[in-house]
Amino acid sequence: MGYELRVVRESPLAFAELARAIAPAGFELGAAEEILAKHGGDAHTVGRWRGEIVGEPGSDWHVAQLVRLSSVLGGRLVGEDGEVYALTDGVVEVVGNGNAAEIGKFDEIVAAGPDSW
């Protein structure tokens, strides 16, 4: 099992709310309650529903998709160590321990696709 990122919200997220919210943003639900995003005509798993959304990113593309998903759902993307991933002025960044680090420009990351790290 890899490093997990979770979508955290002030109010709990019901599965029905998730299902209604993701389609307009371009996400789909797959088998086993997977949340999918497309790239190059293929659907890729970016997270799973486990009473909350949990993702195990394998690339910056996955992180960017999870940041976008958390925004669509009115939440924050939080890592196991408490760091927060966010989109600021078109840049995906991670903030933790009082430090911010840029991951990259959202549009460039999404265009590059889900190639593994």
Side-chain angles (χ1 to χ4, degrees):
M1 190 155 144
Y3 193 79
E4 290 186 341
L5 302 178
R6 299 179 184 283
V7 175
V8 177
R9 294 178 10 134
E10 293 296 319
S11 61
L13 179 66
F15 183 75
E17 182 182 0
L18 167 70
R20 280 191 309 271
I22 65 171
F27 293 99
E28 300 174 0
L29 285 176
E33 298 179 337
E34 297 170 318
I35 300 162
L36 308 170
K38 288 192 174 183
H39 185 271
D42 295 324
H44 302 272
T45 301
V46 294
R48 288 185 170 70
W49 174 256
R50 297 183 189 156
E52 64 182 346
I53 298 170
V54 178
E56 293 180 34
S59 69
D60 290 344
W61 182 87
H62 289 96
V63 173
Q65 295 295 344
L66 284 165
V67 166
R68 184 168 68 95
L69 179 61
S70 66
S71 176
V72 165
L73 297 172
R76 297 177 300 130
L77 186 62
V78 180
E80 291 178 8
D81 297 325
E83 72 279 15
V84 176
Y85 295 78
L87 183 62
T88 305
D89 297 326
V91 175
V92 178
E93 63 182 11
V94 58
V95 179
N97 296 323
N99 298 312
E102 289 186 2
I103 294 175
K105 293 181 180 178
F106 179 84
D107 292 340
E108 291 175 4
I109 293 170
V110 170
D115 291 335
S116 296
W117 284 312

Short mmCIF file of all heavy atoms in Angstrom, two decimals, residues 68-99:
data_model
loop_
_atom_site.label_atom_id
_atom_site.label_comp_id
_atom_site.label_asym_id
_atom_site.label_seq_id
_atom_site.Cartn_x
_atom_site.Cartn_y
_atom_site.Cartn_z
N ARG A 68 -7.96 18.69 -7.75
CA ARG A 68 -9.15 19.16 -8.46
C ARG A 68 -10.41 18.54 -7.88
O ARG A 68 -11.41 19.23 -7.65
CB ARG A 68 -9.02 18.83 -9.95
CG ARG A 68 -10.15 19.36 -10.80
CD ARG A 68 -9.81 19.25 -12.28
NE ARG A 68 -9.75 17.90 -12.75
CZ ARG A 68 -10.79 17.27 -13.34
NH1 ARG A 68 -11.93 17.90 -13.50
NH2 ARG A 68 -10.65 16.04 -13.76
N LEU A 69 -10.38 17.25 -7.60
CA LEU A 69 -11.53 16.56 -7.03
C LEU A 69 -11.88 17.13 -5.66
O LEU A 69 -13.05 17.37 -5.36
CB LEU A 69 -11.24 15.07 -6.92
CG LEU A 69 -12.33 14.19 -6.33
CD1 LEU A 69 -13.60 14.26 -7.16
CD2 LEU A 69 -11.84 12.76 -6.22
N SER A 70 -10.88 17.37 -4.83
CA SER A 70 -11.15 17.93 -3.50
C SER A 70 -11.79 19.30 -3.61
O SER A 70 -12.71 19.63 -2.84
CB SER A 70 -9.87 17.98 -2.65
OG SER A 70 -8.94 18.89 -3.17
N SER A 71 -11.37 20.09 -4.58
CA SER A 71 -11.95 21.41 -4.79
C SER A 71 -13.41 21.30 -5.22
O SER A 71 -14.27 22.03 -4.72
CB SER A 71 -11.13 22.16 -5.83
OG SER A 71 -11.72 23.40 -6.11
N VAL A 72 -13.69 20.39 -6.15
CA VAL A 72 -15.06 20.17 -6.62
C VAL A 72 -15.98 19.81 -5.46
O VAL A 72 -17.14 20.21 -5.42
CB VAL A 72 -15.08 19.06 -7.70
CG1 VAL A 72 -16.48 18.55 -7.96
CG2 VAL A 72 -14.43 19.55 -8.98
N LEU A 73 -15.45 19.06 -4.50
CA LEU A 73 -16.25 18.58 -3.38
C LEU A 73 -16.22 19.51 -2.17
O LEU A 73 -16.81 19.20 -1.14
CB LEU A 73 -15.77 17.18 -2.97
CG LEU A 73 -15.94 16.12 -4.06
CD1 LEU A 73 -15.26 14.83 -3.65
CD2 LEU A 73 -17.41 15.90 -4.38
N GLY A 74 -15.55 20.65 -2.31
CA GLY A 74 -15.50 21.62 -1.21
C GLY A 74 -14.66 21.14 -0.04
O GLY A 74 -14.94 21.46 1.10
N GLY A 75 -13.61 20.41 -0.36
CA GLY A 75 -12.74 19.88 0.70
C GLY A 75 -11.29 20.27 0.50
O GLY A 75 -10.96 21.11 -0.35
N ARG A 76 -10.44 19.64 1.29
CA ARG A 76 -8.99 19.83 1.20
C ARG A 76 -8.36 18.47 0.97
O ARG A 76 -8.87 17.45 1.45
CB ARG A 76 -8.43 20.40 2.49
CG ARG A 76 -8.94 21.77 2.85
CD ARG A 76 -8.38 22.26 4.20
NE ARG A 76 -8.76 21.34 5.28
CZ ARG A 76 -7.91 20.83 6.17
NH1 ARG A 76 -6.64 21.13 6.14
NH2 ARG A 76 -8.34 20.01 7.11
N LEU A 77 -7.24 18.43 0.28
CA LEU A 77 -6.50 17.19 0.07
C LEU A 77 -5.38 17.14 1.10
O LEU A 77 -4.50 18.01 1.10
CB LEU A 77 -5.95 17.13 -1.35
CG LEU A 77 -5.28 15.82 -1.73
CD1 LEU A 77 -6.26 14.65 -1.66
CD2 LEU A 77 -4.67 15.93 -3.12
N VAL A 78 -5.42 16.13 1.97
CA VAL A 78 -4.49 16.05 3.09
C VAL A 78 -3.73 14.73 3.04
O VAL A 78 -4.32 13.67 2.81
CB VAL A 78 -5.26 16.17 4.43
CG1 VAL A 78 -4.30 16.09 5.61
CG2 VAL A 78 -6.05 17.47 4.48
N GLY A 79 -2.42 14.81 3.27
CA GLY A 79 -1.57 13.62 3.29
C GLY A 79 -1.51 12.99 4.66
O GLY A 79 -1.98 13.56 5.65
N GLU A 80 -0.92 11.83 4.73
CA GLU A 80 -0.80 11.07 5.98
C GLU A 80 -0.06 11.85 7.06
O GLU A 80 -0.28 11.63 8.25
CB GLU A 80 -0.08 9.75 5.73
CG GLU A 80 -0.87 8.76 4.92
CD GLU A 80 -0.12 7.47 4.66
OE1 GLU A 80 0.97 7.25 5.23
OE2 GLU A 80 -0.62 6.66 3.86
N ASP A 81 0.84 12.72 6.66
CA ASP A 81 1.65 13.49 7.63
C ASP A 81 1.05 14.86 7.92
O ASP A 81 1.71 15.70 8.54
CB ASP A 81 3.08 13.64 7.12
CG ASP A 81 3.78 12.28 6.98
OD1 ASP A 81 3.51 11.39 7.82
OD2 ASP A 81 4.57 12.12 6.04
N GLY A 82 -0.18 15.10 7.45
CA GLY A 82 -0.86 16.35 7.73
C GLY A 82 -0.60 17.46 6.72
O GLY A 82 -1.14 18.55 6.86
N GLU A 83 0.21 17.21 5.72
CA GLU A 83 0.46 18.22 4.70
C GLU A 83 -0.79 18.41 3.86
O GLU A 83 -1.59 17.49 3.70
CB GLU A 83 1.67 17.86 3.83
CG GLU A 83 1.47 16.74 2.86
CD GLU A 83 1.58 15.34 3.46
OE1 GLU A 83 1.54 15.16 4.68
OE2 GLU A 83 1.66 14.40 2.67
N VAL A 84 -0.95 19.61 3.31
CA VAL A 84 -2.13 19.94 2.51
C VAL A 84 -1.68 20.25 1.09
O VAL A 84 -0.73 21.01 0.87
CB VAL A 84 -2.87 21.17 3.11
CG1 VAL A 84 -4.03 21.58 2.21
CG2 VAL A 84 -3.36 20.86 4.51
N TYR A 85 -2.36 19.64 0.14
CA TYR A 85 -2.10 19.85 -1.28
C TYR A 85 -3.16 20.80 -1.80
O TYR A 85 -4.35 20.61 -1.52
CB TYR A 85 -2.15 18.53 -2.04
CG TYR A 85 -1.06 17.58 -1.62
CD1 TYR A 85 -1.17 16.85 -0.44
CD2 TYR A 85 0.07 17.40 -2.40
CE1 TYR A 85 -0.17 15.98 -0.05
CE2 TYR A 85 1.08 16.53 -2.01
CZ TYR A 85 0.95 15.82 -0.83
OH TYR A 85 1.94 14.96 -0.45
N ALA A 86 -2.76 21.82 -2.56
CA ALA A 86 -3.71 22.84 -3.00
C ALA A 86 -3.31 23.37 -4.37
O ALA A 86 -2.18 23.18 -4.84
CB ALA A 86 -3.75 23.98 -2.00
N LEU A 87 -4.27 24.04 -4.99
CA LEU A 87 -4.04 24.72 -6.26
C LEU A 87 -4.07 26.22 -5.98
O LEU A 87 -5.08 26.75 -5.54
CB LEU A 87 -5.12 24.34 -7.27
CG LEU A 87 -4.98 24.91 -8.66
CD1 LEU A 87 -3.70 24.42 -9.33
CD2 LEU A 87 -6.19 24.52 -9.50
N THR A 88 -2.94 26.88 -6.21
CA THR A 88 -2.83 28.31 -5.96
C THR A 88 -2.32 28.99 -7.22
O THR A 88 -1.21 28.68 -7.68
CB THR A 88 -1.85 28.58 -4.79
OG1 THR A 88 -2.28 27.83 -3.65
CG2 THR A 88 -1.80 30.05 -4.46
N ASP A 89 -3.13 29.87 -7.78
CA ASP A 89 -2.75 30.61 -8.99
C ASP A 89 -2.26 29.68 -10.10
O ASP A 89 -1.27 29.96 -10.78
CB ASP A 89 -1.68 31.66 -8.68
CG ASP A 89 -2.18 32.71 -7.71
OD1 ASP A 89 -3.38 33.05 -7.77
OD2 ASP A 89 -1.38 33.20 -6.89
N GLY A 90 -2.97 28.54 -10.28
CA GLY A 90 -2.64 27.61 -11.35
C GLY A 90 -1.48 26.68 -11.06
O GLY A 90 -1.05 25.93 -11.93
N VAL A 91 -0.97 26.70 -9.83
CA VAL A 91 0.16 25.86 -9.45
C VAL A 91 -0.26 24.90 -8.34
O VAL A 91 -0.87 25.30 -7.35
CB VAL A 91 1.34 26.73 -8.96
CG1 VAL A 91 2.49 25.88 -8.45
CG2 VAL A 91 1.82 27.65 -10.09
N VAL A 92 0.05 23.62 -8.52
CA VAL A 92 -0.20 22.64 -7.48
C VAL A 92 0.95 22.73 -6.50
O VAL A 92 2.13 22.72 -6.89
CB VAL A 92 -0.28 21.21 -8.06
CG1 VAL A 92 -0.50 20.19 -6.95
CG2 VAL A 92 -1.38 21.11 -9.10
N GLU A 93 0.60 22.87 -5.22
CA GLU A 93 1.63 22.99 -4.20
C GLU A 93 1.27 22.13 -3.00
O GLU A 93 0.13 21.73 -2.83
CB GLU A 93 1.84 24.44 -3.78
CG GLU A 93 0.64 25.08 -3.13
CD GLU A 93 0.87 26.54 -2.77
OE1 GLU A 93 1.88 27.13 -3.19
OE2 GLU A 93 0.03 27.09 -2.05
N VAL A 94 2.27 21.86 -2.20
CA VAL A 94 2.08 21.12 -0.96
C VAL A 94 2.60 21.99 0.18
O VAL A 94 3.67 22.58 0.08
CB VAL A 94 2.78 19.74 -1.00
CG1 VAL A 94 4.27 19.85 -1.25
CG2 VAL A 94 2.51 18.96 0.28
N VAL A 95 1.79 22.09 1.24
CA VAL A 95 2.15 22.92 2.39
C VAL A 95 2.18 22.02 3.63
O VAL A 95 1.20 21.34 3.93
CB VAL A 95 1.13 24.06 2.60
CG1 VAL A 95 1.50 24.90 3.81
CG2 VAL A 95 1.02 24.92 1.35
N GLY A 96 3.32 22.05 4.30
CA GLY A 96 3.46 21.26 5.52
C GLY A 96 4.59 21.79 6.36
O GLY A 96 5.58 22.32 5.83
N ASN A 97 4.44 21.72 7.66
CA ASN A 97 5.46 22.20 8.60
C ASN A 97 5.87 23.64 8.32
O ASN A 97 7.03 24.01 8.45
CB ASN A 97 6.70 21.29 8.57
CG ASN A 97 6.38 19.89 9.03
OD1 ASN A 97 5.58 19.69 9.95
ND2 ASN A 97 7.01 18.92 8.40
N GLY A 98 4.89 24.44 7.90
CA GLY A 98 5.16 25.86 7.66
C GLY A 98 5.88 26.16 6.36
O GLY A 98 6.22 27.30 6.09
N ASN A 99 6.11 25.13 5.55
CA ASN A 99 6.80 25.31 4.27
C ASN A 99 5.89 24.97 3.12
O ASN A 99 5.09 24.05 3.21
CB ASN A 99 8.04 24.41 4.20
CG ASN A 99 9.05 24.74 5.27
OD1 ASN A 99 9.39 25.89 5.48
ND2 ASN A 99 9.50 23.71 5.98
#
